[in-house]
Amino acid sequence: MQPIGTLRLGVNIDHVATVRNARGTAYPDPLRAAEIAEAAGADGITAHLREDRRHISDADIEGLMASLKLPLNLEMAATAEMQAIALRHRPHAVCIVPEKRQEVTTEGGLDVARQENRLGDFIAPLREAGMRVSLFIGHEPEQIRAAARIGASVVELHTGAYCDFHYEGAHDKRDAELARLAEGAALAHALGLEVHAGHGLTYETVAPVAAFPEVMELNIGHFLIGEAIFLGLDAAIREMRRLMDAARAAG
Ligand code: PXP
């Protein structure tokens, strides 16, 4: 079983690339954002190379692999193309996510239970090449158990619904979702999986998730890049770090 320990922050830099790509310019540079994130106390950088390359590009991944000092967590779909890219670059970690072309963002978790054999075969060479393999899933026990069975090291629990309920003012639903996330984190930990969480987290929603003792890493992007417009990226990340650490310390 993984020891319960400190909470890491992975900063997702996808939306720096979204702003760049909106104009087709060379700036703002996601790599520069990664350097600022490192100085601000991030423990890792996350980047999602989507099939349609709507934000992060192949050249971004090459640049990050060449000069990033922090560990890179490459988010990707379970496709042959992405598997080959991961095997070529060998980032510290890969996080397998479901991907639909039309979606605005990753809408739900992977259905590991229904594709156990396929995903098991997909992650085997990544694990053998030394990458930490994470599966982005919901909190359903059958998904967590399936992730453990196929040999994932990590599950990242999808916090999107919890955050949506918070901002919709549906506080009963939010609290029920949070309770299911807590149960999922405890089950995953008991099964020997390292537990991460992410999607949609903000200053208002991060604390209860950061307080789950089993969660070892939060991956946060969109809100931080938005907040950077007002505070600057360094200050936006430092504030998130402060809120996470305070919530973890308070239990
Ligand atoms: N974790 C995973 C697996 C994701 O796909 C994303 C979004 O790319 C995030 C975390 C970060 O979500 P957000 O950008 O909403 O903070």
Side-chain angles (χ1 to χ4, degrees):
M1 200 184 284
Q2 300 280 343
I4 287 178
T6 51
L7 181 59
R8 299 190 299 265
L9 171 61
V11 171
N12 181 314
I13 55 172
D14 292 351
H15 298 298
V16 178
T18 302
V19 174
R20 175 194 63 194
N21 296 359
R23 276 288 182 92
T25 47
Y27 60 85
D29 181 4
L31 188 54
R32 184 171 166 207
E35 287 162 2
I36 292 170
E38 181 180 6
D43 301 291
I45 297 298
T46 294
H48 185 174
L49 186 66
R50 291 189 77 104
E51 273 186 282
D52 62 9
R53 309 298 198 270
R54 69 175 71 157
H55 38 57
I56 293 294
S57 67
D58 298 75
D60 291 328
I61 298 297
E62 271 176 40
L64 288 164
M65 285 304 300
S67 52
L68 185 67
K69 293 191 206 79
L70 290 177
L72 177 66
N73 175 32
L74 173 64
E75 286 180 4
M76 59 184 220
T79 64
E81 182 200 17
M82 291 298 154
Q83 189 187 52
I85 290 171
L87 288 170
R88 190 164 75 245
H89 289 298
R90 297 184 183 224
H92 166 75
V94 292
C95 179
I96 314 300
V97 301
E99 219 176 87
K100 297 190 209 108
R101 270 188 187 256
Q102 305 309 324
E103 69 190 357
V104 176
T105 182
T106 313
E107 282 165 0
L110 277 174
D111 192 348
V112 189
R114 282 180 54 189
Q115 339 171 47
E116 220 173 299
N117 291 341
R118 189 179 90 79
L119 282 174
D121 290 347
F122 182 82
I123 69 172
L126 304 172
R127 293 173 56 206
E128 278 156 27
M131 284 166 257
R132 183 192 76 184
V133 177
S134 166
L135 302 179
F136 189 44
I137 60 173
H139 47 59
E140 300 80 14
E142 69 269 23
Q143 301 299 344
I144 297 168
R145 290 187 194 284
R149 278 197 298 273
I150 68 170
S153 315
V154 177
V155 284
E156 180 160 331
L157 298 179
H158 198 310
T159 52
Y162 152 71
C163 294
D164 287 346
F165 289 140
H166 173 82
Y167 282 101
E168 287 161 12
H171 291 171
D172 289 351
K173 287 186 183 168
R174 174 198 64 189
D175 295 346
E177 184 68 12
L178 195 60
R180 284 191 286 267
L181 285 165
E183 285 165 19
L187 173 64
H189 181 73
L191 292 173
L193 292 157
E194 183 173 314
V195 186
H196 299 179
H199 208 284
L201 291 170
T202 66
Y203 295 157
E204 281 186 33
T205 53
V206 75
V209 180
F212 295 165
E214 301 88 357
V215 171
M216 293 183 66
E217 182 174 309
L218 297 179
N219 284 300
I220 309 180
H222 183 259
F223 173 81
L224 286 174
I225 303 308
E227 198 62 13
I229 295 168
F230 307 107
L231 300 182
L233 187 56
D234 180 273
I237 293 170
R238 283 180 197 275
E239 176 62 2
M240 187 61 85
R241 178 88 263 175
R242 187 187 70 74
L243 292 167
M244 286 167 52
D245 292 345
R248 176 53 66 101

